[in-house]
């Protein structure tokens, strides 16, 4: 397990992050150029080595806490660098993912990931929005749609 000082040194290799001291000698690291309201990438880095990194709803992290945070207490150097890089990319890219879905009647819908929401469009018109990909897929499958 990395020490507080080691984690701090790794985090500070990301020039786009700004350190802010908070209570109990803990540190937050902000990404001020975030495209979203959320700017804290590393949250509550504590002298005991505990801390969190914001990953939102990135599908590659299954151990996410309620607020989209992953505990980095046991992370090694490579894992810490990787998660911080992904978090910065997540907050700085207006990523759009698009999928086509079709039902047995040949009706087509589009599922788009836009601005952190999964949105279903039918014939170009807004149909429904979801907070997670899983909820959107469940909705589409319940209505008889399959991914094409």
């Amino acid at each position: 397990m990395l020490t507080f000082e080691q984690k701090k040194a790794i985090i500070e290799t990301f020039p786009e992050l700004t350190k802010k001291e908070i209570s109990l000698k803990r540190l937050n690291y902000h990404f001020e150029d975030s495209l979203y309201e959320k700017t804290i990438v590393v949250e509550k880095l504590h002298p005991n080595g505990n801390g969190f990194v914001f990953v939102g709803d990135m599908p590659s992290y299954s151990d996410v806490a309620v607020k989209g945070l992953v505990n980095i207490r046991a992370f090694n150097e490579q894992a810490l660098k990787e998660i911080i890089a992904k978090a910065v990319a997540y907050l700085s890219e207006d990523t759009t993912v698009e999928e086509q879905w079709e039902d047995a009647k040949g009706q087509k819908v589009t599922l788009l990931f836009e601005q952190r929401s999964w949105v279903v469009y039918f014939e170009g018109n807004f149909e429904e929005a979801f907070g997670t990909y899983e909820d959107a897929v469940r909705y589409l499958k319940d209505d008889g749609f399959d991914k094409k």
Side-chain angles (χ1 to χ4, degrees):
M1 182 173 85
L2 298 170
T3 67
F4 171 75
E5 291 301 326
Q6 290 169 321
K7 287 179 182 169
K8 186 176 152 189
I10 292 166
I11 295 164
E12 290 177 2
T13 65
F14 290 84
E16 60 269 62
L17 298 181
T18 305
K19 177 174 66 174
K20 295 191 179 179
E21 294 182 16
I22 58 174
S23 62
L24 304 173
K25 299 181 182 178
R26 296 175 298 172
L27 303 172
N28 282 348
Y29 288 85
H30 292 254
F31 176 54
E32 302 297 343
D33 291 332
S34 174
L35 294 178
Y36 306 95
E37 189 174 316
K38 179 71 175 176
T39 64
I40 300 174
V41 171
V42 179
E43 188 168 311
K44 298 176 185 155
L45 181 64
H46 192 277
N48 70 8
N50 202 23
F52 302 90
V53 171
F54 178 74
V55 296
D57 58 359
M58 279 190 252
S60 56
Y61 292 96
S62 59
D63 54 347
V64 177
V66 176
K67 295 181 180 180
L69 300 168
V70 170
N71 190 306
I72 59 168
R73 181 178 192 87
F75 275 42
N76 63 28
E77 181 177 358
Q78 181 180 347
L80 184 58
K81 285 180 178 180
E82 182 179 300
I83 196 170
I84 292 170
K86 285 182 178 181
V88 169
Y90 180 80
L91 293 171
S92 63
E93 297 174 359
D94 190 10
T95 327
T96 302
V97 175
E98 182 174 336
E99 296 179 356
Q100 300 302 315
W101 290 67
E102 188 174 335
D103 69 5
K105 298 176 191 173
Q107 293 181 319
K108 297 178 182 178
V109 296
T110 302
L111 177 61
L112 287 175
F113 183 61
E114 303 178 303
Q115 307 214 349
R116 306 296 178 237
S117 293
W118 291 95
V119 184
V120 176
Y121 290 96
F122 176 68
E123 295 181 352
N125 296 313
F126 173 84
E127 178 74 23
E128 191 71 51
F130 301 91
T132 68
Y133 179 76
E134 291 77 18
D135 288 343
V137 167
R138 188 176 311 110
Y139 170 83
L140 290 167
K141 288 191 177 276
D142 286 351
D143 281 355
F145 286 88
D146 290 307
K147 187 175 169 182
K148 296 298 166 194

